[in-house]
């Protein structure tokens, strides 16, 4: 079983303009717990006292999920994180040659010394803590640096090594692909006699975060990071709902997940992040299970699978038919049936369809609550013209 780490409260808050109130963070964590994610990254306690307070409160909330804190490899960052009582600690330090010489002004040996000291310190203070080490920008760093730092990190006590595609750089089918990277790293670990769990953190700069995460899954990673709405730096990371849905629907993962909670989770996060859910967003978008064109609706009404490959019930949703300029008679009849409006003759049904199409051409759809008024209007027009004729 793969495990899921949700990073909405940490990486998600690195989305420009996103800052959740502490009580909203608790509500988000509660829903994440109900969905069934395994690890909730609560924040980076050294960033602000309010963040530390939230991480600490989350850690003592008795959630089923393990609460995690994010930290640089400095003693002050680590102390603040450890004071929160978390069960999981993520330490990151970039070991690319460019970063080592340009930013850290250290050689690899000194950097490794720094990283291992931090891990030993954390493990000494909290022996049961699960420690993850991330060589930031893993996939663009020299492989030998990543391998050397990671092997040393594991020998110092790290339990998990995370492969971060910090800039959304990997492309399946090219030499820079996540599957081969994970396999190569696992081999290097085996050769060094260390056996950490592997995690993956995929950014979405090329729109390939989910595909790369699935590539990592295929290569056998143990933990996958995701965020609600795919929030995060720049184009964010893997979208949680899409990841969970694919893993459950197509890979038999997540027997304990309750994906029917996803719509409520997305509504909450969208409202308080100010990031709207695009209508076309898979799984949770307004249109994700809505059929529009006459040909589609006619077939979907008979059997939704003609035009759906996912069961909306999996995520607590229903198939919908859109009433607009694309509608045909089947759509109108279905909508009337759904609204409990029965006994219309064909002429009246056609009048309703014409009205729906006219409204649709103005660029909007007809909602279920509007339909009875259209029926009433059309009935009156028919009655009126009957009257005139008589
Ligand atoms: C960051 C970068 C990070 C770290 C991931 C990790 C990334 O914002 O600190 O610590 O596992 O994408 O590399 O999110
Ligand atoms: Cu990131």
């Amino acid at each position: 079983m793969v495990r899921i780490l949700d990073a909405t409260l940490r990486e998600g808050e690195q989305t420009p303009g996103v800052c959740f109130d502490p009580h909203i963070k608790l509500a988000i964590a509660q829903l994440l717990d109900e969905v069934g994610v395994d690890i909730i990254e609560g924040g980076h306690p050294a960033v602000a006292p309010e963040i530390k307070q939230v991480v600490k409160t989350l850690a003592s909330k008795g959630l089923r999920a393990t609460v995690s804190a994010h930290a640089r490899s400095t003693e002050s960052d680590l102390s603040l994180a450890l004071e929160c009582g978390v069960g999981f600690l993520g330490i990151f330090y970039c070991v690319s040659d460019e970063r080592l010489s340009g930013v850290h002004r250290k050689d690899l040996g000194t950097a490794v010394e720094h990283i291992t000291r931090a891990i030993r310190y954390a493990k000494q203070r909290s022996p049961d803590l699960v420690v993850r080490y991330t060589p930031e920008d893993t996939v663009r760093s020299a492989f030998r640096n990543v391998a050397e730092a990671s092997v040393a990190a594991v020998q110092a006590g790290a339990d998990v090594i995370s492969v971060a595609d910090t800039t959304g750089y990997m492309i399946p089918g090219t030499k820079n692909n996540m599957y081969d990277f994970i396999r190569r790293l696992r081999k290097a670990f085996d050769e060094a006699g260390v056996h950490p769990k592997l995690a993956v953190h995929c950014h979405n700069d090329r729109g390939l975060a989910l595909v790369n995460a699935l590539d990592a899954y295929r290569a056998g990673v143990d933990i996958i990071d995701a965020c609600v709405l795919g929030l995060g730096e720049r184009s964010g990371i893997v979208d949680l709902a899409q990841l969970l849905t694919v893993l459950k629907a197509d890979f038999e993962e997540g027997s304990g997940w309750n994906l029917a909670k996803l719509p409520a989770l997305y509504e909450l996060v969208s409202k308080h992040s100010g990031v709207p859910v695009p209508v076309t967003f898979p799984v949770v978008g307004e249109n994700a299970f809505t059929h529009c064109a006459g040909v589609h609706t006619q077939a979907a009404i008979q059997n939704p699978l003609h035009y759906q490959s996912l069961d909306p019930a999996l995520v607590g949703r229903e198939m919908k038919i859109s009433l607009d300029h694309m509608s045909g008679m089947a759509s109108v009849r279905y909508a009337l049936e759904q609204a409990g409006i029965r006994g219309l003759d064909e002429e009246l049904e056609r009048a309703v369809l014409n009205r729906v199409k006219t409204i649709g051409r103005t660029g909007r759809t007809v909602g279920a609550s509007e339909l009875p008024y259209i029926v009433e209007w059309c009935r009156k027009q028919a009655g009126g013209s009957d009257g005139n004729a008589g």
Side-chain angles (χ1 to χ4, degrees), residues 10-11 14 41 70 90-92 132 134 136-137 162 164-166 201 203 225 233 237:
R10 195 280 298 174
E11 175 87 50
Q14 294 174 220
E41 198 163 65
H70 204 231
I91 301 174
F92 62 100
R132 176 191 71 194
T134 307
E136 210 191 345
D137 207 0
S162 185
D165 185 3
T166 305
H201 179 93
H203 274 264
D225 291 9
E233 294 273 352
I237 68 166

Side-chain angles (χ1 to χ4, degrees), residues 2-49:
V2 72
R3 293 197 292 154
I4 305 297
L5 180 148
D6 181 88
T8 308
L9 303 181
R10 195 280 298 174
E11 175 87 50
E13 267 209 338
Q14 294 174 220
T15 310
V18 172
C19 182
F20 300 109
D21 283 323
H23 59 282
I24 297 301
K25 285 189 178 171
L26 295 201
I28 292 170
Q30 183 61 43
L31 273 170
L32 286 169
D33 205 42
E34 289 170 24
V35 166
V37 305
D38 302 279
I39 304 152
I40 296 175
E41 198 163 65
H44 189 138
V47 170

Side-chain angles (χ1 to χ4, degrees), residues 95-280:
V95 290
S96 76
D97 290 325
E98 297 73 18
R99 202 78 77 85
L100 285 175
S101 58
V103 179
H104 298 309
R105 303 203 182 283
K106 280 190 175 81
D107 61 18
L108 182 64
T110 318
V112 169
E113 180 52 39
H114 182 78
I115 293 159
T116 51
R117 197 177 325 116
I119 294 166
R120 275 195 299 271
Y121 172 78
K123 277 289 195 181
Q124 246 157 31
R125 276 196 46 181
S126 185
D128 294 336
L129 186 69
V130 175
V131 172
R132 176 191 71 194
Y133 164 62
T134 307
E136 210 191 345
D137 207 0
T138 318
V139 299
R140 290 195 309 167
S141 305
F143 187 81
R144 62 193 146 69
N145 292 14
V146 169
E148 188 178 327
S150 301
V151 168
V154 178
Q155 285 164 345
D159 307 276
V160 181
I161 298 297
S162 185
V163 172
D165 185 3
T166 305
T167 64
Y169 170 73
M170 298 302 245
I171 305 177
T174 69
K175 67 179 183 8
N176 299 321
N177 74 83
M178 195 53 102
Y179 179 83
D180 287 344
F181 192 95
I182 300 284
R183 296 292 286 238
R184 188 175 174 201
L185 193 58
R186 183 77 85 189
K187 188 158 171 277
F189 289 156
D190 286 346
E191 281 166 11
V194 296
H195 304 286
K197 298 264 183 252
L198 278 181
V200 74
H201 179 93
C202 301
H203 274 264
N204 203 29
D205 299 64
R206 286 173 169 72
L208 296 172
L210 177 62
V211 183
N212 286 329
L214 291 176
D215 228 14
Y217 173 75
R218 195 164 59 87
V221 285
D222 306 282
I223 301 174
I224 303 177
D225 291 9
C227 277
V228 175
L229 264 162
L231 293 177
E233 294 273 352
R234 306 178 313 283
S235 301
I237 68 166
V238 176
D239 172 61
L240 180 72
Q242 291 168 34
L243 176 70
L244 296 184
T245 301
V246 172
L247 288 176
K248 185 155 181 148
D250 305 306
F251 294 94
E252 293 174 15
E253 290 283 351
S255 52
W257 296 342
N258 182 0
L259 304 192
K261 295 276 178 187
L262 287 171
L265 173 66
Y266 273 65
E267 200 183 319
L268 182 71
V269 172
S270 174
K271 179 157 191 254
H272 292 278
S273 62
V275 177
V277 184
V279 289
T280 52

Side-chain angles (χ1 to χ4, degrees), residues 294 297-298 301 323 326-336 345-353 357:
T297 51
Q298 198 176 9
I301 287 164
L323 287 182
M326 286 285 180
S327 296
M329 200 56 128
S331 315
V332 164
R333 286 191 178 133
Y334 180 82
L336 289 169
D345 60 30
E346 200 176 326
E347 200 179 330
L348 191 49
E349 284 174 341
R350 189 148 302 282
V352 171
L353 174 62
K357 281 178 163 300

